[in-house]
Amino acid sequence: MDHSILFAFLLTALAGLSTGIGGLIALVSRRTSRKFLSVALGFSAGVMVYVSMTDILEKAREFLTGALGEKGGSWATAAAFFGGMLLIALIDKWIPSEENPHEVKGVEQKGEKAPGESGLMRMGVFTALAIGIHNFPEGMATFVSALQEPALALPIVAAIALHNIPEGIAVAIPIYQATGSRRKAFFYSLGSGLAEPVGALLGWLVLRPFFNDGVFGVLFAAVGGIMVFISFDELLPAAREYGEHHLSIYGLIAGMAVMAVSLLLFL
């Protein structure tokens, strides 16, 4: 396997399996640091929004204008960008709200009154499944970014990994409460992130024969749309729920600033 493909796949797996970190936090901590989660989720949103709007879209437009001309390429870039948003919005719509990974409970809620053991187990399993479905296109997004722009992929991977940690918490808590098994809770949370490397692998196998500038341009623009949607629909609302409004905004600005500096360093 080509080294660049292996590197992209390993980065995608690292981002996806960070759900296991969330599982560990849920099992070893008595309380979740809500302020930390608020800042971290805001930071992730800042990284993804900034890199999508300033770098990913520009590279997508370069690919597509080279393949389709200035006017056609610009229209195709906009269409693919909003198409990525539509894709992730439809996936969210198909996931029942009670199992949607956007609704994450803190570790401190483990002791609250909850459904019976079978209900908790069902909640944990369906949450893991929902997160897997939700993370599938994220895996393709991370993989394409890493394959085309390895230096650009590192902060994207870090941002996606940060936002996967609370999702691992959401899986581990009900599984642990239902079974009393830390091992099962951890492996369910870890397994829910496998969708990202699986999405990357399947996407590469399906699209490999068709890779050219036009395909890369469409994928890059769609990646930008997916990340912007996730940031506004998932990360920022969750960040505000976890902590004070200002903390999420401070995290957002910090993420944008770090992303801006990292891009300038690679000029």
Side-chain angles (χ1 to χ4, degrees):
M1 183 181 289
D2 186 271
H3 288 303
S4 62
I5 295 172
L6 181 61
F7 177 72
F9 182 76
L10 289 176
L11 283 182
T12 305
L14 179 64
L17 296 179
S18 63
T19 53
I21 298 174
L24 284 176
I25 291 173
L27 297 175
V28 303
S29 301
R30 295 189 65 183
R31 293 188 65 83
T32 308
S33 173
R34 297 177 69 87
K35 289 185 177 180
F36 169 77
L37 284 176
S38 179
V39 173
L41 291 172
F43 185 91
S44 298
V47 166
M48 293 203 285
V49 169
Y50 189 90
V51 75
S52 295
M53 302 303 293
T54 65
D55 201 70
I56 289 179
L57 269 183
E58 181 57 31
K59 285 183 168 59
R61 196 182 71 82
E62 288 176 9
F63 281 125
L64 287 168
T65 53
L68 303 174
E70 186 69 29
K71 187 172 182 180
S74 297
W75 276 101
T77 301
F81 177 74
F82 289 106
M85 288 187 173
L86 178 62
L87 171 65
I88 199 70
L90 289 174
I91 289 173
D92 270 0
K93 187 174 178 62
W94 290 332
I95 298 173
S97 59
E98 62 270 20
E99 278 97 30
N100 197 308
H102 298 184
E103 303 296 328
V104 182
K105 294 184 182 294
V107 174
E108 62 272 18
Q109 292 174 278
K110 282 192 290 188
E112 293 180 1
K113 188 176 181 180
E117 288 185 2
S118 61
L120 283 169
M121 189 68 187
R122 178 184 179 279
M123 182 190 303
V125 171
F126 273 90
T127 301
L129 180 62
I131 288 172
I133 295 169
H134 185 263
N135 285 352
F136 194 86
E138 285 182 22
M140 190 58 195
T142 310
F143 181 78
V144 169
S145 300
L147 189 61
Q148 189 62 28
E149 294 284 340
L152 178 65
L154 292 175
I156 293 174
V157 166
I160 290 178
L162 275 174
H163 109 263
N164 280 349
I165 289 173
E167 294 181 353
I169 294 173
V171 174
I173 289 172
I175 296 291
Y176 178 61
Q177 285 186 317
T179 66
S181 170
R182 294 179 184 273
R183 179 179 295 180
K184 281 186 179 180
F186 171 71
F187 281 110
Y188 268 97
S189 66
L190 185 68
S192 67
L194 284 174
E196 294 208 8
V198 169
L201 182 61
L202 290 180
W204 178 67
L205 290 174
V206 170
L207 295 174
R208 180 177 54 173
F210 309 104
F211 273 158
N212 55 44
D213 282 356
V215 171
F216 266 123
V218 169
L219 287 174
F220 247 49
V223 163
I226 288 170
M227 293 202 299
V228 169
F229 186 92
I230 288 170
S231 298
F232 288 137
D233 182 64
E234 174 181 350
L235 299 183
L236 285 177
R240 293 185 66 178
E241 286 294 320
Y242 278 124
E244 302 169 12
H245 164 71
H246 291 296
L247 289 178
S248 61
I249 299 302
Y250 296 155
L252 175 77
I253 294 169
M256 287 184 168
V258 168
M259 192 69 247
V261 170
S262 66
L263 290 175
L264 289 171
L265 288 175
F266 287 110
L267 283 177

